[in-house]
Amino acid sequence: MSVAILAPGSRTRRFSKRLTQVVITLFGLLLLTFFIGRVMPVDPVLAIVGPDADHSTYQQVYHQLGFDKSLLTQFGIYLNNLLHGDLGNALLTGKPVTADILRVFPATLELATMAIIVGAGLGIPLGVLAAARRNSISDYVVRIISLAGYSTPIFWVGMMGLLLFYAWLGWVGGAGRLDLGLDGLVPRRTGLMTVDALLAGNSVVFWNAINHLVLPASLLGFHSLAYISRMTRSFMLAQLSQEFIITARVKGLTERQVIWNHAFRNILVQLLTVVALAYGSLLEGAVLIETVFSWPGFGSYLTGSLLLGDMNAVMGCVLLVGIIFVMLNLLSDMLYQLFDPRTKS
């Protein structure tokens, strides 16, 4: 009885402790991002005024940006602005960085979500198959696919995919999110082109968006498939060597029941963490695919900002990536405690 009464309080304390760790981690990330932005060998003032500006103009902008103050004071100002949703203005667009990120991030979110569906939807069954048929031809094929996904440069795969499936076969759309003639026909509501097209009831734009999305999402998903299938295989091999699996087989259960009802159910919690981290990697690692496919997303925006030396935009993007990973880790921990019976005791 006492255990049942204390368990909810214990879970609450555990969640509060984890939330405190998240806050401390985010603050540390914010601090690190700020000081890295200040010591980078890029002069943000020069990027604003240009190389031909005179000394007085340079000093005026230098003073307006607060660079004549101490680093601690600058960090206080940056933190205060951040709490008000102000990340500064971007040199690339001249607009607030917050508005720019809200504009470009849905495109990457749509791409990464489709990619993780492909990666997890294929990687998990392939990993289970490889483990269930260890050292068979199926196992070797899955391991070769995983090795190819790890070792093949994603930008080369993207260019070959465009050449084969778009230029030669004409099966998919080309660069961008839509054909030029369809751009602007659907009002922006969520920033997700497929969702906005469905909300507007425009099936032509929806299928055209799918046609443009399928190739970059599949190639990006192939990259995550390698990681997910390998981890799934490793988890399954560990479970299939346990004594309870031998007991289940002795009882006369079919191999399908042993694999899916017993072994696979025990690795679901671990797979949640793997898939969550893979999803976070896709959100911040789609730079090369977005560049190859001219995808107007977060990765392209970050690349352009880096090339221009726009530290406001770079710091905002880095901070967002850190927040994504921290929140995905927090979500994984919460799901772990929800589905793992060992954490309820």
Side-chain angles (χ1 to χ4, degrees):
M1 179 67 69
S2 60
V3 174
I5 294 175
L6 292 176
S10 177
R11 288 196 294 268
T12 302
R13 287 193 300 270
R14 190 161 52 237
F15 176 74
S16 300
K17 181 180 179 181
R18 183 59 178 158
L19 191 60
T20 303
Q21 293 174 346
V22 168
V23 173
I24 294 174
T25 302
L26 289 177
F27 181 79
L29 173 67
L30 178 63
L31 190 66
L32 183 62
T33 303
F34 173 81
F35 283 105
I36 288 178
R38 288 298 185 266
V39 301
M40 285 283 289
V42 176
D43 190 345
V45 179
L46 192 62
I48 294 175
V49 301
D52 299 327
D54 54 30
H55 181 71
S56 60
T57 303
Y58 181 93
Q59 289 296 326
Q60 182 181 359
V61 175
Y62 186 86
H63 176 73
Q64 289 176 349
L65 294 177
F67 291 153
D68 54 339
K69 300 180 175 63
S70 66
L71 281 178
L72 188 60
T73 303
Q74 291 181 46
F75 178 71
I77 295 173
Y78 179 75
L79 183 60
N80 179 67
N81 292 337
L82 181 63
L83 292 175
H84 289 84
D86 182 11
L87 292 171
N89 291 331
L91 300 179
L92 188 64
T93 62
K95 299 178 181 179
V97 173
T98 305
D100 281 347
I101 291 177
L102 290 175
R103 175 177 54 84
V104 300
F105 188 71
T108 300
L109 181 65
E110 187 173 42
L111 178 62
T113 301
M114 182 65 71
I116 198 63
I117 292 174
V118 173
L122 295 178
I124 292 175
L126 287 177
V128 173
L129 175 66
R133 301 181 180 179
R134 186 178 185 181
N135 295 328
S136 67
I137 296 179
S138 301
D139 185 21
Y140 290 132
V141 169
V142 172
R143 290 161 71 178
I144 291 173
I145 292 174
S146 299
L147 180 62
Y150 271 115
S151 58
T152 308
I154 191 68
F155 65 90
W156 181 84
V157 175
M159 290 187 292
M160 292 301 102
L162 274 175
L163 181 63
L164 176 61
F165 296 106
Y166 170 64
W168 287 356
L169 299 176
W171 289 356
V172 298
R177 303 178 73 185
L178 286 174
D179 291 342
L180 291 178
L182 299 178
D183 193 19
L185 292 182
V186 171
R188 179 187 175 92
R189 297 181 183 178
T190 65
L192 307 174
M193 189 61 67
T194 53
V195 176
D196 287 345
L198 288 176
L199 292 176
N202 194 323
S203 60
V204 175
V205 174
F206 172 77
W207 288 113
N208 190 262
I210 292 292
N211 198 32
H212 281 259
L213 179 63
V214 62
L215 182 59
S218 298
L219 296 179
L220 197 61
F222 174 67
H223 191 67
S224 66
L225 178 151
Y227 171 66
I228 294 174
S229 64
R230 184 175 180 180
M231 296 303 296
T232 303
R233 178 182 182 274
S234 177
F235 295 153
M236 285 294 294
L237 287 177
Q239 289 297 318
L240 290 174
S241 63
Q242 299 295 321
E243 292 183 359
F244 75 92
I245 295 295
I246 300 175
T247 303
R249 285 171 173 156
V250 170
K251 288 181 177 180
L253 296 179
T254 64
E255 193 66 14
R256 181 184 182 88
Q257 290 175 321
V258 170
I259 291 172
W260 292 104
N261 295 345
H262 289 74
F264 182 73
R265 288 178 65 180
N266 279 354
I267 70 167
L268 276 176
V269 177
Q270 295 168 293
L271 282 180
L272 286 173
T273 302
V274 169
V275 173
L277 293 178
Y279 186 48
S281 299
L282 291 176
L283 286 172
E284 59 89 18
V287 176
L288 294 176
I289 279 291
E290 290 188 1
T291 302
V292 171
F293 285 87
S294 299
W295 196 265
F298 180 76
S300 298
Y301 178 75
L302 176 58
T303 303
S305 301
L306 281 169
L307 294 175
L308 189 62
D310 186 355
M311 295 313 300
N312 281 341
V314 171
M315 290 167 61
C317 291
V318 171
L319 184 62
L320 177 61
V321 169
I323 291 174
I324 288 173
F325 270 98
V326 169
M327 297 311 294
L328 284 174
N329 271 290
L330 177 62
L331 178 62
S332 298
D333 286 349
M334 293 173 62
L335 293 176
Y336 200 101
Q337 295 175 13
L338 180 63
F339 291 109
D340 191 346
R342 292 171 295 183
T343 62
K344 300 178 182 179
S345 60

